[in-house]
Amino acid sequence: WMPPSKPYYEMQGVYKGSELSSKTLIFSSWEMVPRMLACMISYEAERRTVGKIAKDYQDRGAFYFNTGERRYPSARMNFSVSRGAPSAMTLFCLLYPSEFLTECYNPITCLNEGMSLQEIRKQIRKKINDKLVEKTDTSQELMYGGQDRRWYYVAPLLLDRAEYACNWFKNKDKLLDYDSEEERGRRQKGFKMHLDAYSDLFETESFGNLGKQPIDLIDVLTDMAIASPAICINRTYNYYLGGEELPSYIPSQLARVFINRMNTPESTAVVELACGRKSDDAHWQNLLTYCCQGNLQAVFDEYAHLIASGIECNSNLITQIHQHMIEAMDIRTTQYTVDTFNNFQKRMRNQKEKPTNIRTHFSVAFTKGDEREKDIDRKRTIRNAFNSPFRPFVLATTSIGQEGLDFHNYCRKVVHWNLPSNPIDLEQREGRINRFKCLAIRQNVAQRYGDIQFKRDVWHEIFDKASEIEKTDGSSDLTPYWGLRDSEDMVKIERIVPMYPLSRDVLTYERLIKILSMYRLTLGQARQEELLKYLFHNHDEPEKLRGLFINLSPFYKELE
């Protein structure tokens, strides 16, 4: 996922130093380019992740074009059944939104105190250890046998109020409604068996039969409190309730979709590369570490703020945020059939050929399509997914994406694969990411005002502070949500134009910028770095330039 613009503690691991990252939006006038880019970029992403794992561990059975076979690496977080018994109960560490663990970590307090992840862990460990000692009477020193892994998913039940856990189990069947297509049938049956086993364990209260606690139990529970997906979502949703009680099963529904997303081969490979290789039944602990490194709590909080900002009616706010997140995270992988030299030879010889498909997930194509209901739904899903912190990270589109659509939530880089014929199209393209509370604006206000003392809502308070300082007499209400004072260290929207030697695009670009500057001058929408550079080099009396501007802003107030 994309790193948060305002992390709650310093990013760790592969996320270290990634706060100013951005997704990429690519425009092309040619219909074939988006599909080509989606295929090649996604293939390259797999080569650097899945391919690296296969090479490092010399897994010779790993091939990209395994038609009809299981992809590599295999899913590590399935609710599988072995000899008629559930064998992946530890996945409830990611699914159960423990009330106690949710309350153990207060991001606002820790952020105000400037605590590091190590200091946060130390504080939470003490809370969990004290509570666990209070709840368990059995002396661990007197127990015989090895460590009992059941403690990982039983301990959260012990730490919570019986009433809270009971309500979660009463609604456990509602988690079955959020299976992806790949999880239905036999796998859904396995998940239901795990839910029933977890419920039986709680109802029979057979906790006294547990063996020794794992030596890392407190550490795992601490990481769960900080970054378990169900607990992070629970903490995020609780903010929008306004004092009401959140049904405990709702965070688990989204956490289930999150696990499905992180259970794909490409996500499994990324987590394994970032956190090392463990046994299949311990991959969930790697994912938990990865969630801590990537500030998952801050990711969900920022994303929920963006969704809520776009909702006009505040009624059923949680339901709308919840449904929006589920739809964005439940995007399917699209495959495109590609031609190869071998396939061409077979066609020439009238031989039967198998289609060669390339997957698109890291990058996706956004094209006109057939405009049928399925195609329209797919486009809506792609837009929602690109505007989320999760995949895809590159969106390649034709002119269909340059008008009336917003792609600004997590993108501030726009690539012009080829230049449009007129400056208005160029302006329209870049206007897709230059929007209200766009990524560039959020990264700037986080850098400038992210060190204030927060009370309850990080993003509302950051923007309030920015509004207080950035606005001056005569400023419009567009500040700071659409624009900020310029500075040398300012994060900016990036325009990327590939310039090939001897290409006509060099002259075309110069002409477009020249005309675009005058176009903006006429509309009173000047960008200083382009417009003034042109005018100062082509105007004899720069001091008279102010008289050329036409201010059409409805918020403009002339100083008296």
Side-chain angles (χ1 to χ4, degrees):
W1 53 81
M2 289 291 298
S5 304
K6 176 56 186 173
Y8 293 155
Y9 47 82
E10 185 179 1
M11 308 291 282
Q12 307 289 319
V14 293
Y15 280 96
K16 192 175 182 64
S18 65
E19 290 84 355
L20 298 182
S21 298
S22 169
K23 292 187 177 185
T24 303
L25 179 63
I26 305 177
F27 281 102
S28 171
S29 303
W30 301 327
E31 190 75 20
M32 62 163 286
V33 170
R35 295 186 182 90
M36 178 272 293
L37 288 175
C39 290
M40 299 309 297
I41 293 174
S42 295
Y43 181 87
E44 178 66 7
E46 280 201 43
R47 189 186 70 81
R48 295 189 181 192
T49 52
V50 177
K52 189 175 188 310
I53 286 182
K55 182 179 179 180
D56 289 350
Y57 296 105
Q58 298 181 350
D59 289 320
R60 298 179 181 178
F63 295 99
Y64 184 89
F65 300 105
N66 280 348
T67 306
E69 299 179 13
R70 289 187 177 182
R71 289 180 57 194
Y72 177 88
S74 59
R76 307 289 169 80
M77 295 184 294
N78 289 331
F79 288 91
S80 54
V81 177
S82 177
R83 297 180 181 179
S87 59
M89 296 290 290
T90 47
L91 291 182
F92 286 111
C93 295
L94 308 176
L95 271 178
Y96 176 66
S98 168
E99 180 184 44
F100 175 77
L101 294 181
T102 299
E103 295 171 352
C104 268
Y105 173 42
N106 187 325
I108 300 296
T109 301
C110 295
L111 182 60
N112 286 338
E113 295 178 7
M115 298 175 67
S116 65
L117 180 58
Q118 183 179 2
E119 292 169 333
I120 294 171
R121 278 186 170 133
K122 183 178 179 181
Q123 184 185 84
I124 296 175
R125 282 186 92 265
K126 186 178 186 310
K127 293 179 183 178
I128 294 174
N129 186 67
D130 293 346
K131 186 73 171 180
L132 200 58
V133 169
E134 174 189 331
K135 287 281 188 176
T136 54
D137 298 328
T138 307
S139 175
Q140 292 292 305
E141 289 77 9
L142 299 178
M143 288 186 176
Y144 295 97
Q147 300 175 19
D148 194 337
R149 291 176 58 83
R150 289 180 296 173
W151 275 103
Y152 292 131
Y153 53 90
V154 167
L157 298 177
L158 283 170
L159 295 171
D160 283 348
R161 293 180 296 117
E163 180 184 1
Y164 178 86
C166 185
N167 287 335
W168 188 83
F169 282 112
K170 282 181 180 179
N171 294 283
K172 68 180 189 298
D173 289 342
K174 294 185 179 180
L175 301 182
L176 299 172
D177 298 336
Y178 287 85
D179 279 318
S180 63
E181 291 180 2
E182 294 87 350
E183 288 284 323
R184 294 199 175 110
R186 179 178 59 83
R187 292 186 178 183
Q188 189 181 57
K189 183 179 179 181
F191 179 51
K192 190 174 187 308
M193 184 179 292
H194 281 75
L195 278 173
D196 291 339
Y198 201 30
S199 178
D200 291 341
L201 181 65
F202 173 74
E203 291 175 0
T204 57
E205 297 184 353
S206 55
F207 304 140
N209 298 327
L210 297 176
K212 284 185 178 180
Q213 295 177 3
I215 194 170
D216 63 346
L217 176 62
I218 304 298
D219 292 329
V220 171
L221 292 175
T222 299
D223 283 349
M224 285 172 59
I226 296 171
S228 163
I231 291 172
C232 287
I233 296 161
N234 190 33
R235 204 176 281 124
T236 296
Y237 283 0
N238 276 324
Y239 167 77
Y240 292 95
L241 284 174
E244 301 176 13
E245 186 173 350
L246 178 72
S248 56
Y249 65 88
I250 289 181
S252 296
Q253 290 176 338
L254 185 56
R256 182 85 198 282
V257 178
F258 177 86
I259 292 174
N260 289 340
R261 174 59 46 234
M262 299 304 296
N263 206 27
T264 59
E266 57 271 12
S267 297
T268 300
V270 167
V271 172
E272 197 163 286
L273 284 172
C275 304
R277 194 169 198 175
K278 290 187 178 181
S279 60
D280 289 358
D281 63 345
H283 183 77
W284 65 272
Q285 287 181 269
N286 265 351
L287 177 58
L288 202 54
T289 301
Y290 188 80
C291 291
C292 284
Q293 293 176 349
N295 260 257
L296 187 61
Q297 182 66 64
V299 172
F300 277 122
D301 288 350
E302 183 176 1
Y303 185 31
H305 172 81
L306 292 172
I307 297 173
S309 297
I311 297 175
E312 296 181 1
C313 179
N314 287 329
S315 62
N316 299 321
L317 191 57
I318 286 292
T319 303
Q320 295 182 71
I321 294 174
H322 184 62
Q323 192 59 39
H324 192 106
M325 285 190 178
I326 285 177
E327 289 178 359
M329 291 171 60
D330 199 21
I331 186 172
R332 306 286 192 271
T333 296
T334 299
Q335 297 192 37
Y336 290 110
T337 301
V338 298
D339 204 3
T340 65
F341 181 69
N342 289 337
N343 287 349
F344 175 75
Q345 284 184 316
K346 290 179 180 179
R347 285 201 305 275
M348 293 299 99
R349 298 168 183 166
N350 292 323
Q351 296 176 348
K352 188 176 181 180
E353 57 175 313
K354 291 183 180 180
T356 300
N357 296 322
I358 292 186
R359 298 178 288 272
T360 61
H361 40 72
F362 186 91
S363 174
V364 299
F366 190 81
T367 53
K368 185 176 181 180
D370 56 16
E371 296 300 325
R372 295 180 181 177
E373 183 178 355
K374 187 176 181 180
D375 177 62
I376 293 173
D377 290 342
R378 170 71 180 170
K379 289 176 183 175
R380 186 183 67 251
T381 300
I382 289 175
R383 291 200 307 269
N384 290 342
F386 189 73
N387 275 324
S388 80
F390 306 100
R391 82 175 202 192
F393 299 97
V394 177
L395 183 68
T397 181
T398 56
S399 59
I400 190 176
Q402 74 182 36
E403 293 186 24
L405 301 176
D406 294 338
F407 298 111
H408 63 289
N409 279 3
Y410 291 91
C411 179
R412 60 175 180 83
K413 294 182 179 181
V414 58
V415 178
H416 300 282
W417 184 263
N418 49 14
L419 291 168
S421 58
N422 63 78
I424 297 178
D425 285 346
L426 186 70
E427 191 83 331
Q428 286 285 354
R429 287 180 177 186
E430 296 176 357
R432 300 310 96 217
I433 59 175
N434 187 9
R435 315 296 293 174
F436 177 77
K437 289 186 179 180
C438 66
L439 178 63
I441 291 293
R442 298 200 312 279
Q443 289 177 340
N444 277 309
V445 296
Q447 280 191 336
R448 295 182 185 184
Y449 311 107
D451 58 352
I452 63 175
Q453 290 292 300
F454 298 99
K455 297 178 181 177
R456 186 168 182 268
D457 187 306
V458 170
W459 283 105
H460 271 115
E461 292 169 32
I462 283 181
F463 274 107
D464 286 345
K465 188 66 175 180
S467 179
E468 176 187 333
I469 296 178
E470 296 280 337
K471 277 190 175 182
T472 58
D473 293 340
S475 295
S476 73
D477 289 341
L478 299 179
T479 305
Y481 308 102
W482 290 74
L484 297 164
R485 290 199 314 264
D486 200 1
S487 63
E488 292 183 359
D489 61 344
M490 187 174 186
V491 180
K492 298 182 179 180
I493 290 175
E494 298 181 35
R495 175 196 298 150
I496 302 170
V497 183
M499 289 295 185
Y500 306 105
L502 305 179
S503 170
R504 288 183 298 177
D505 278 352
V506 176
L507 294 177
T508 301
Y509 182 69
E510 292 177 357
R511 179 183 64 84
L512 281 175
I513 293 302
K514 177 180 178 180
I515 300 174
L516 184 62
S517 298
M518 303 309 296
Y519 168 73
R520 290 173 180 162
L521 174 65
T522 304
L523 296 180
Q525 298 173 349
R527 289 184 186 172
Q528 294 178 357
E529 64 271 17
E530 294 170 0
L531 175 62
L532 296 182
K533 181 179 178 181
Y534 171 76
L535 290 177
F536 286 150
H537 283 83
N538 294 275
H539 202 283
D540 295 333
E541 300 181 72
E543 66 276 2
K544 295 184 179 181
L545 290 177
R546 182 177 295 275
L548 297 176
F549 285 86
I550 303 173
N551 196 322
L552 301 180
S553 170
F555 303 100
Y556 182 74
K557 296 180 181 179
E558 186 175 356
L559 294 177
E560 296 180 358

